[in-house]
Amino acid sequence: MEYPYQGQKIILFDGACVLCNRSVDFLIRTDRKKRLKFASLQSDIAASILKPFQNHPLTEDTIIFNDEGRLFIKSTAVLKIAGYLGFPYSTIAIFRIIPSPLRDAIYDFIARNRVKWFGSRVKCRVPDEETAGRIIG
């Protein structure tokens, strides 16, 4: 069975989260080579990408980065994504020296409070003229 979206770099994000959507806006502006694509975790595309990983306990407060068929979650996903942005953003990859349980504890703290701090949308984000082709689901 072939993995869906093989060879693509797709960020799965909570489409109702304001912080997540602002992060997507930033990434779209910053990814000048347009290598990154985006899909909300609530989309059929995300379900298709995650189907082979059904045994993973993934929730809507977890960013997931599908990098050519390999999944990265939480802080590791953030650091991998930054690597595709170029200088100066790629320099945050140095934080990989911090053990992932510690990085993920910080990530989890932010994830637990993101809606309280930034709010949420009633509906998930949909592609518009500016993001067509980048937001795929």
Side-chain angles (χ1 to χ4, degrees), residues 7-137:
Q8 295 188 38
K9 297 164 187 12
I10 303 172
I11 298 167
L12 304 178
F13 67 100
D14 180 357
C17 167
V18 172
L19 174 63
C20 303
N21 278 278
R22 287 181 184 166
S23 298
V24 168
D25 291 339
F26 169 78
L27 292 170
I28 288 171
R29 284 191 313 272
T30 309
D31 176 28
R32 290 190 168 91
K33 293 184 180 180
K34 300 183 183 208
R35 294 183 278 189
L36 303 173
K37 295 190 183 289
F38 307 87
S40 74
L41 283 164
Q42 297 87 348
S43 70
D44 291 338
I45 289 172
S48 175
I49 290 170
L50 296 175
K51 188 174 184 175
F53 304 94
Q54 290 177 18
N55 296 333
H56 260 321
L58 302 172
T59 62
E60 288 181 0
D61 66 352
T62 303
I63 187 171
I64 302 168
F65 182 41
N66 171 42
D67 190 355
E68 301 183 8
R70 292 187 62 207
L71 289 190
F72 300 95
I73 63 171
K74 298 185 178 187
S75 65
T76 303
V78 171
L79 296 176
K80 286 280 193 181
I81 293 164
Y84 286 104
L85 299 180
F87 187 80
Y89 307 104
S90 59
T91 60
I92 73 164
I94 194 164
F95 290 110
R96 292 178 82 182
I97 63 171
I98 298 171
S100 61
L102 181 57
R103 290 191 328 254
D104 285 344
I106 296 166
Y107 177 94
D108 289 338
F109 175 74
I110 295 168
R112 273 192 312 273
N113 292 290
R114 65 196 164 91
V115 173
K116 180 171 42 172
W117 294 339
F118 299 95
S120 66
R121 297 177 173 187
V122 175
K123 291 176 64 175
C124 287
R125 176 183 195 141
V126 294
D128 57 22
E129 191 174 304
E130 180 185 346
T131 60
R134 303 291 302 282
I135 297 180
I136 57 175

